[in-house]
Amino acid sequence: MVSCNGGLNQMRAAICDMVAISRYLNLTLVIPELDKASFWADPSDFKDIFDVDHFIKSLQGEVKIVKELPHKYLDRIRKDEIFSMPPVSWSNESYYSSQILPLVKKHKVIHFSKTDSRLANNGLPLWLQSIRCRVNYEALKFTPLIERLGRELVNILQKKGPFVALHLRYEMDMLAFSGCTHGCSDEEAAQLTKMRLAYPWWKEKVINSVQKRLDGLCPLTPEETALVLKALGFQRDTQIYIAAGEIYGGNQRMDLLHTTFPNIVRKEMLLSQEDLKLFQNHSSQMAALDYLVAINSDVFVPTYDGNMAKVVSGHRRYLGYRKTILLDRQKLVGLLDQYNNSTLDWVLFAARVQEIESELMGAPRQRKVIAERPKEEEYFYANPVECLA
């Protein structure tokens, strides 16, 4: 049994890992429980987001998956006798065979209370890596309703021509969690800090926002994004789909982006209220719609390298190396500051932005490995090279 934690894309990757672990240990997997307690408070179950029957059927012969715990073990749940633990992060297969399998043999049922990044990026057998991809790109299909509305969004956009999916990660939760307050008023910065202090699962409380931004660890602001996209050569009439939740600061923070690129749309502008009504207060289902648009866009541009940026960019590689512009924020913020304080003119600014980004367009390359520091190396799902032959 597994309880996934985090947003949609963190849980998606975790589900792939849990299937791979179940296959390696020859265990039966109960349909994963999704996170309902984190910041987003989304009450969705697995069946509300993913096609359960397709998930089970597509993995037949690899992993036995059941919709609920077998009857003979239900009494243990009532008596709170299920052995529960979080696996060690970034573990390889030997950890699961030497540490976890004996526990399963002893207790018969084991519950993983956390699932984020519990399997190593590198050094695993090729067949195990392939299973992770099979789950991600074949078994994890959204519900028929989500798939239908996702296709509808893509069709509407494609009828108007090529489009960019912009993952503008400038929502309130992101800024509070990261401590990134560049461009915010003192009142907004205080509000974000108060929010960060209020949520116990956000461990880092005291953050130097200025230094973090200079280190390239903050999302670009909407204003910075407008300048970078323009410098990259996107024209004023470029069709841009905002793949994100509510932007912090509202329309005022979007002014420059809208002025520079007036052809900006969101799912709320393209789908009927009747359709969207079903997704209200279900952030993961909303994110699933954005996911479908993002993997099918002509260009995908994430302004922060969070879970959606990583998982979508990897999926786009799998679909044939579709163009994905990964922004080198550490280098870009220095140029942006120089341009904004008039020490760099537009022509030179644009030329340097294009030079920086020229090698970051989603072309084939090996995954970056950093031995002993898995948190800093490239995420498996961002560049699953084992599955891209």
Side-chain angles (χ1 to χ4, degrees):
M1 302 173 66
V2 299
S3 294
C4 299
N5 54 298
L8 173 68
N9 294 289
Q10 181 170 302
M11 293 193 290
R12 182 186 182 104
I15 291 164
C16 301
D17 289 348
M18 294 302 110
V19 171
I21 292 164
S22 299
R23 170 66 180 83
Y24 183 75
L25 299 179
N26 195 27
L27 303 179
T28 297
L29 176 69
V30 180
I31 287 291
E33 177 186 38
L34 302 190
D35 192 340
K36 298 180 176 66
S38 65
F39 168 83
W40 301 276
D42 186 331
S44 299
D45 290 317
F46 189 100
K47 64 180 175 56
D48 300 316
I49 299 174
F50 300 108
D51 186 328
V52 176
D53 292 333
H54 174 80
F55 181 66
I56 294 173
K57 187 176 180 180
S58 65
L59 291 167
Q60 278 179 350
E62 286 283 4
V63 183
K64 183 179 179 182
I65 302 173
V66 295
K67 294 182 180 179
E68 56 187 23
L69 194 66
H71 223 65
K72 61 183 178 180
Y73 298 120
L74 291 179
D75 212 39
R76 293 193 187 188
I77 292 182
R78 285 192 288 269
K79 295 178 181 178
D80 197 25
E81 293 177 350
I82 298 293
F83 182 79
S84 183
M85 62 170 288
V88 174
S89 298
W90 311 111
S91 294
N92 62 22
E93 77 277 18
S94 64
Y95 163 79
Y96 286 97
S97 57
S98 64
Q99 301 294 317
I100 301 300
L101 191 55
L103 292 172
V104 179
K105 289 178 176 178
K106 177 181 178 180
H107 298 282
K108 307 304 178 188
V109 180
I110 192 168
H111 170 244
F112 287 166
S113 56
K114 287 186 181 296
T115 57
D116 57 312
S117 305
R118 304 293 151 160
L119 192 58
N121 291 314
N122 303 291
L124 300 179
L126 179 59
W127 68 266
L128 200 56
Q129 299 287 53
S130 297
I131 287 175
R132 297 169 95 175
C133 292
R134 181 175 169 188
V135 181
N136 199 16
Y137 307 129
E138 297 176 21
L140 280 179
K141 187 177 179 182
F142 293 121
T143 64
L145 174 62
I146 293 173
E147 291 281 342
R148 177 178 68 79
L149 292 177
R151 281 195 301 273
E152 189 174 327
L153 281 169
V154 172
N155 288 339
I156 291 169
L157 290 160
Q158 288 179 337
K159 283 178 182 175
K160 297 178 182 177
F163 71 95
V164 175
L166 177 63
H167 183 41
L168 189 60
R169 194 67 171 97
Y170 205 76
E171 299 103 330
M172 188 178 188
D173 67 294
M174 176 71 244
L175 300 180
F177 164 75
S178 65
C180 296
T181 58
H182 180 73
C184 295
S185 66
D186 290 344
E187 182 181 351
E188 288 172 331
Q191 181 186 37
L192 294 169
T193 301
K194 183 178 179 181
M195 183 180 178
R196 182 169 67 257
L197 296 174
Y199 283 87
W201 51 82
W202 292 344
K203 304 298 183 187
E204 193 178 8
K205 300 299 183 183
V206 180
I207 297 173
N208 183 331
S209 177
V210 173
Q211 188 58 52
K212 194 164 188 178
R213 175 176 173 271
L214 293 175
D215 290 340
L217 300 176
C218 287
L220 293 188
T221 67
E223 297 90 345
E224 291 172 332
T225 302
L227 293 171
V228 169
L229 290 179
K230 185 179 178 182
L232 286 170
F234 288 101
Q235 300 301 304
R236 180 175 166 79
D237 62 352
T238 300
Q239 185 181 200
I240 297 177
Y241 174 89
I242 302 293
E246 184 178 350
I247 302 303
Y248 188 61
N251 291 334
Q252 186 177 348
R253 290 310 302 270
M254 293 289 287
D255 278 350
L256 181 61
L257 193 58
H258 276 290
T259 301
T260 310
F261 301 101
N263 195 8
I264 288 179
V265 294
R266 307 174 61 98
K267 53 187 167 293
E268 292 83 358
M269 298 165 62
L270 302 177
L271 295 177
S272 70
Q273 287 301 309
E274 192 68 25
D275 284 331
L276 286 172
K277 178 173 70 175
L278 303 169
F279 296 84
Q280 291 302 318
N281 303 315
H282 294 81
S283 60
S284 289
Q285 295 182 48
M286 285 286 206
L289 292 175
D290 285 342
Y291 186 96
L292 289 170
V293 176
I295 64 170
N296 287 292
S297 61
D298 295 276
V299 183
F300 175 58
V301 184
T303 61
Y304 183 73
D305 58 349
N307 288 299
M308 179 170 178
K310 292 171 181 173
V311 177
V312 167
S313 62
H315 201 153
R316 289 175 65 84
R317 286 176 180 275
Y318 182 80
L319 293 171
Y321 296 100
R322 295 178 177 176
K323 189 172 183 178
T324 299
I325 301 178
L326 301 174
L327 303 177
D328 187 333
R329 298 186 307 282
Q330 186 172 21
K331 292 179 180 176
L332 289 175
V333 295
L335 291 179
L336 285 159
D337 288 345
Q338 290 178 58
Y339 174 72
N340 285 324
N341 64 26
S342 300
T343 58
L344 194 66
D345 66 30
W346 176 258
V347 173
L348 195 51
F349 169 75
R352 289 186 178 174
V353 168
Q354 290 173 29
E355 182 183 359
I356 288 169
E357 293 299 318
S358 62
E359 300 298 320
L360 299 171
M361 300 286 183
R365 58 174 172 76
Q366 288 301 304
R367 190 167 59 247
K368 182 182 177 184
V369 179
I370 304 177
E372 310 301 325
R373 288 186 290 162
K375 195 172 182 179
E376 297 174 34
E377 68 185 4
E378 192 172 12
Y379 195 34
F380 171 78
Y381 294 103
N383 187 12
V385 292
E386 295 88 341
C387 310
L388 304 178

